[in-house]
Amino acid sequence: MKTALKNKLQQRQKEKRDYSRQIAFLNRYSLLFHALLSCMLVLVIEICSRRSIIGAFEFLAGHTFAFLFNSLIIYATLIIVYLFRRRMLMRIIISSVWLLLGIINGCVLSKRVTPFSYTDLKCVSDLLTMTNTQYFTKFQEICVIILLSALAVFLIILGIKGPKFQGRAHKVRAVLLCAGMCVIMSAATTFAQNSDWMATYFANIAQGYSDYGFVYGFSSSVMDRGMHKPLDYSKNKIKNIEEEVARAKEEKSSFKVADSGQVVSDSKDGQQPNVVCVLLESFMDPTEIKFLNLSEDPIPNFRKLSKDYTSGYLSVPVVGAGTANSEFEVLTGMNLRFFGTGEYPYKTILKDTDCESIASDLSAIGYGTHVVHNNGGNFYSRAHVFSQFGFDTFTSKELMNIQEYTPLGSWPTDDILVEETKKALDSTPGQSDFVYTITVQGHGNYPEEKVIQNPDIQVTGAETEEANYQWEYYVNQIHEVDKFIGKLTDMLAQRDEETILVLFGDHLPTLGLTDEDMKSGDIFKTKYATWNNFGLEQKNSDLAAYQLLAYAMEQAGLHEGTMFTYHQAGGYRTEDSRYQNGMENLQYDILYGERFCYDGKDLYPASDLEMGVDKTYLYNYRTNADGSLSLYGANFTNWSRIYVNDEKMNTVFVSDKQVVLPAEDVADLENGDVLKVCQVGSSSTIFRTTENAMVYYGPGAMETGSEEIQQ
């Protein structure tokens, strides 16, 4: 017994000595092992990102320098472990973070074309609002939470019971090592970029990540944010640009110059034309895809507008996703190329900075400005951003009585936007309006199984049956969007108001298209079309998204705004370096600079944005036989919630005139409690509240006398 115990103790001591020798060996050559670990991590990350082992090794073989540079970036982060005694824990944490980012990128690329970037982290709240859709399911959310929780528990246990570095801690040496690594990284990055071995800007972010690796691409999105100050930026530079614009305006006969020297807009009998701009989600011309066979034209209404009115290709900054960035370019006239990799200005600069836009420019000459969108008001932080842009009203889905959804139930259909756009126009009688309408029906994801049993459009030509089903679903949803275009045009034609309509696709769908698949030869090109009812000449032109509204307004005789008049005066020369330099200086001046173009003033402050154009009312209430309480009023929606003493309650939506408080909550009511109904968005944001509140006086019915109870 004693001999066995002694042998067991000796074995444990031997194992401990062997373990100590292994740890000592690893510590002695840790810098070398960090290099090997870095290379291994990059390879695994690329396998996850490309969802292909072969693709990862092709990247290693075809872009060896980029592979090694990605490894150097991870290597630099691993140097941090020398600042701690629990080095194993820190190595695992750092490695886990990189692996997690790579896995996330692979998941993102399975749903869209644009890879994962730093700014996407700011959109997590938006992603969570999309649960229970084909794009992001509740099950996936639960799986992510479980995996992250398990990782957190493992790291906590490792932090408590894991090994510590037992040698002498050279803190000064560790700090100097980290500082030296920062210098090496800075010098290596400068050398690699100046030698054109690594790109400083990704015109195509998806291609950039593919060519230069996820680690470098994501790191660029972290480090390269906002706009860099142009080398020639100055007050004189801005003034010179403004003078050139003024001279160009005077040379154009369509521009009228007031006695003050300021340019003023043309007018038609004292009334400016309405401008309706429609973003068509994931909209494209399916006949532009070389391999698709279609039983008939899926977009006859858009095709007719393209034939009869000004139209053309539209170069957009994103593909497969990133609607907010195409929207930003269209509404501001600014170029996303001047921002950092993968940036969403909606989530960065526009959080705290107001920005001149088409809304503020047209508001300055008396327009009412409105947004209509059948998706959440907080998505992409739009409710906040549209205030920064100077819009008057924003009717999001929370203010709409939406009843119809796409076949998958993922998104509302777009038909409702015809009436909501009309409401926006009607809300300002005797006033010209700018209405920006955003559709959603074409949004992905697209199912790989047959969903529509008798589709209007038959689709073939894709490589697999699953791909054909995806294209069939997408094309038929776009066909429905085209019907919406026809209805919208008919509605506008029936109004006795001069109107110009501008329709554009924000990006191509997430269906794996390449440049070679497109007749245009470019997956960053969609199409735009216009319509008007006051005889504008057709002037087809291919444009960049940031030029679209400048071009449309110029045709309509509108010459307003710093960026838009710059494009009008500059002739829309997208490839001209001088034109691009002036645009970069102007938008830097407006967003990050001294605002020399405004004489240092804040000429376009954020507006007091009002959600919706329909007011909501409470008329009366009645206790039901089952003990529940019905509240009657006007303009309720699926997002109406009953509040009791400012506390949100469970609410059953019945109709636009009735919502119900369940019996179990009614039992807690007391005489004198204040009842109201609010339109509520994500994160419990209250967008609108009934114009009046009511006081609860116990079971029975409460009449205000303003309306009869409507069952």
Side-chain angles (χ1 to χ4, degrees), residues 233-236 238-240 242-243 262 356 562 586 589-590 593-604:
Y233 174 71
S234 68
K235 184 175 183 178
N236 285 336
I238 299 301
K239 293 303 177 185
N240 289 338
E242 290 183 317
E243 289 172 2
Q262 293 182 329
E356 182 184 354
T562 307
L586 279 179
D589 186 52
I590 292 171
E594 302 298 325
R595 295 192 166 178
F596 295 130
C597 60
Y598 305 154
D599 293 325
K601 301 175 183 177
D602 186 7
L603 296 184
Y604 302 97

Side-chain angles (χ1 to χ4, degrees), residues 134 405-411 441-452 455 457 459 466-480 511:
Q134 279 293 104
Y405 287 80
T406 55
L408 288 176
S410 304
W411 308 102
Q441 187 165 354
H443 205 298
N445 200 14
Y446 313 106
E448 294 183 352
E449 64 278 352
K450 191 171 184 63
V451 172
I452 306 172
I457 312 297
V459 181
E466 291 78 12
N468 270 326
Y469 285 145
Q470 286 186 299
W471 280 111
E472 179 181 85
Y473 185 88
Y474 168 76
V475 169
N476 279 276
Q477 292 313 300
I478 292 302
H479 182 54
E480 294 299 314
L511 284 167

Side-chain angles (χ1 to χ4, degrees), residues 20-37:
S20 297
R21 282 195 294 269
Q22 292 171 4
I23 294 297
F25 178 77
L26 291 173
N27 284 330
R28 183 178 304 166
Y29 298 102
S30 59
L31 290 174
L32 174 60
F33 288 121
H34 279 179
L36 296 175
L37 175 61

Side-chain angles (χ1 to χ4, degrees), residues 10 23 55 59 64 108 155 193 224 308 340-341 490 550 580 651 667 707:
Q10 289 176 344
I23 294 297
F59 172 67
T64 306
V108 166
L155 292 176
Q193 292 177 344
D224 184 21
D308 297 340
T341 301
D490 289 343
Q580 292 290 333
T651 305
E707 288 285 342

Side-chain angles (χ1 to χ4, degrees), residues 304-374:
K304 188 174 189 309
L305 295 182
S306 299
K307 179 181 178 182
D308 297 340
Y309 301 90
T310 297
S311 62
Y313 284 112
L314 188 71
S315 296
V316 293
V318 292
V319 59
T323 295
N325 279 351
S326 293
E327 180 174 282
F328 172 81
E329 287 202 346
V330 169
L331 295 180
T332 65
M334 296 183 182
N335 190 346
L336 256 296
R337 178 173 182 171
F338 302 133
F339 288 85
T341 301
E343 182 159 357
Y344 287 81
Y346 279 22
K347 293 292 186 177
T348 53
I349 184 64
L350 293 178
K351 289 182 66 175
D352 304 307
T353 304
D354 53 48
C355 178
E356 182 184 354
S357 75
I358 185 67
S360 52
D361 290 336
L362 293 182
S363 290
I365 59 171
Y367 273 68
T369 56
H370 318 275
V371 182
V372 176
H373 182 30
N374 52 343

